[in-house]
Amino acid sequence: MRQYAAPVEDSDWQVVNENRLQCALEHNVPGYGDAVFTSVASKQLNMAFELDMHVLPREFGVAAVYSVPPTWMPGRTPKPIAEMQVRKQYNGDLPEKAAWTMLSELEKGFWPTIYYQDWYNRYDKVSVALNASNFTPQYREFIRCVSNLLPYSFEDIAYTVLSYEKNSTDLTKYSQKRLNMIGEYLKEDADLELVLLDGYTDSYGGRWNNEQLSLRRANAVKEYFSALGIPAQRIEVTGHGERRHIAPNNTSDARAKNRRVVVRLSKS
């Protein structure tokens, strides 16, 4: 069996990509690749594990994942954690439950170890171990990062409709909260390519006045985003006035739906 693991004295764990959008905990396995635990901003707490291999699999198969006691824990026996599907030309990965189990086993000092039949040499089996040495300090930093992730993702804010008070550029309370959410996200995301702002009004007040009001509403949102550091040339504003209604204008509730700015975000 070919065995890959970091020596105890060189076992290294690092927290990378530390922000409110993503946290990653990496461990280098010399001669093999990197083990990476990742959690991202989302409505739900999440965790994933990826085995980033220097040499990708050439065929499909299954790897067994065990929690293995190190040599200084005599009398302990390995415990099965999960089966990892091996896919041709892809890194290995495991979902949330298995990833959390691996982390908790590492915290206790055990070495999560992945076993499989080598896909290039039929005479060899391979084991890839994650060394628990020097794990705890970086794990605590990683968990602090995870606890500070935003409780929503890009997909949750990429298309947002902001509603307004009558004849005003003042947002409703709910829409102000939504705008603040978008602002918190944009502070963290440097990959934003374009912000499209489309302003609309109800049919009361005259066509020209409504067009100007829709522009003022959209430009107020643009100023808010610009203050957060979004380059002005990446923000496009269009005032549609009382055109393109999404509801009739015969009741106050229906007119309220037409008083809106639609925010659309795109990123690389």
Side-chain angles (χ1 to χ4, degrees), residues 40 90 112 139 153 165 239 248 261:
V40 298
Y90 282 91
Y139 179 57
S153 65
E165 303 293 348
V261 166

mmCIF file of all heavy atoms in Angstrom, residues 40 90 112 139 153 165 239 248 261:
data_model
loop_
_atom_site.group_PDB
_atom_site.id
_atom_site.type_symbol
_atom_site.label_atom_id
_atom_site.label_comp_id
_atom_site.label_asym_id
_atom_site.label_seq_id
_atom_site.Cartn_x
_atom_site.Cartn_y
_atom_site.Cartn_z
ATOM 1 N N VAL A 40 -19.806 28.058 2.836
ATOM 2 C CA VAL A 40 -20.098 29.280 2.091
ATOM 3 C C VAL A 40 -21.326 29.976 2.664
ATOM 4 O O VAL A 40 -22.146 29.369 3.373
ATOM 5 C CB VAL A 40 -20.318 28.973 0.592
ATOM 6 C CG1 VAL A 40 -19.069 28.381 -0.031
ATOM 7 C CG2 VAL A 40 -21.509 28.039 0.392
ATOM 8 N N TYR A 90 -12.113 13.878 -11.945
ATOM 9 C CA TYR A 90 -12.625 14.822 -10.956
ATOM 10 C C TYR A 90 -11.952 14.595 -9.607
ATOM 11 O O TYR A 90 -11.551 13.473 -9.282
ATOM 12 C CB TYR A 90 -14.138 14.670 -10.774
ATOM 13 C CG TYR A 90 -14.962 15.305 -11.864
ATOM 14 C CD1 TYR A 90 -15.343 14.573 -12.982
ATOM 15 C CD2 TYR A 90 -15.365 16.639 -11.773
ATOM 16 C CE1 TYR A 90 -16.097 15.146 -13.991
ATOM 17 C CE2 TYR A 90 -16.121 17.223 -12.773
ATOM 18 C CZ TYR A 90 -16.488 16.472 -13.875
ATOM 19 O OH TYR A 90 -17.246 17.048 -14.873
ATOM 20 N N PRO A 112 -8.485 11.133 9.770
ATOM 21 C CA PRO A 112 -9.342 10.649 8.686
ATOM 22 C C PRO A 112 -8.466 10.162 7.524
ATOM 23 O O PRO A 112 -7.572 10.874 7.064
ATOM 24 C CB PRO A 112 -10.150 11.889 8.289
ATOM 25 C CG PRO A 112 -10.140 12.743 9.510
ATOM 26 C CD PRO A 112 -8.795 12.526 10.133
ATOM 27 N N TYR A 139 -8.459 25.128 13.355
ATOM 28 C CA TYR A 139 -9.868 24.731 13.313
ATOM 29 C C TYR A 139 -10.728 25.731 14.070
ATOM 30 O O TYR A 139 -11.827 26.097 13.616
ATOM 31 C CB TYR A 139 -10.022 23.332 13.905
ATOM 32 C CG TYR A 139 -11.449 22.838 13.940
ATOM 33 C CD1 TYR A 139 -12.214 22.763 12.777
ATOM 34 C CD2 TYR A 139 -12.033 22.443 15.147
ATOM 35 C CE1 TYR A 139 -13.529 22.305 12.811
ATOM 36 C CE2 TYR A 139 -13.348 21.980 15.179
ATOM 37 C CZ TYR A 139 -14.079 21.918 14.015
ATOM 38 O OH TYR A 139 -15.381 21.469 14.049
ATOM 39 N N SER A 153 -27.026 33.837 0.217
ATOM 40 C CA SER A 153 -26.055 33.671 -0.857
ATOM 41 C C SER A 153 -26.284 34.708 -1.953
ATOM 42 O O SER A 153 -27.256 35.479 -1.917
ATOM 43 C CB SER A 153 -26.177 32.266 -1.457
ATOM 44 O OG SER A 153 -27.439 32.115 -2.093
ATOM 45 N N GLU A 165 -42.593 54.058 -0.941
ATOM 46 C CA GLU A 165 -43.762 54.772 -0.458
ATOM 47 C C GLU A 165 -44.332 55.638 -1.590
ATOM 48 O O GLU A 165 -43.633 55.984 -2.541
ATOM 49 C CB GLU A 165 -43.395 55.657 0.745
ATOM 50 C CG GLU A 165 -42.763 54.907 1.912
ATOM 51 C CD GLU A 165 -43.715 53.948 2.597
ATOM 52 O OE1 GLU A 165 -44.927 54.011 2.321
ATOM 53 O OE2 GLU A 165 -43.237 53.119 3.409
ATOM 54 N N GLY A 239 -34.871 54.548 -16.245
ATOM 55 C CA GLY A 239 -36.143 54.979 -15.658
ATOM 56 C C GLY A 239 -37.292 54.686 -16.614
ATOM 57 O O GLY A 239 -37.340 55.249 -17.709
ATOM 58 N N PRO A 248 -52.547 46.039 -11.764
ATOM 59 C CA PRO A 248 -53.453 47.137 -12.137
ATOM 60 C C PRO A 248 -53.208 48.353 -11.243
ATOM 61 O O PRO A 248 -52.601 48.243 -10.172
ATOM 62 C CB PRO A 248 -54.847 46.540 -11.905
ATOM 63 C CG PRO A 248 -54.640 45.069 -11.840
ATOM 64 C CD PRO A 248 -53.279 44.851 -11.285
ATOM 65 N N VAL A 261 -38.032 49.513 -7.757
ATOM 66 C CA VAL A 261 -36.769 49.466 -8.485
ATOM 67 C C VAL A 261 -36.329 48.009 -8.486
ATOM 68 O O VAL A 261 -36.268 47.370 -7.428
ATOM 69 C CB VAL A 261 -35.681 50.353 -7.843
ATOM 70 C CG1 VAL A 261 -34.298 50.019 -8.417
ATOM 71 C CG2 VAL A 261 -35.994 51.823 -8.061
#
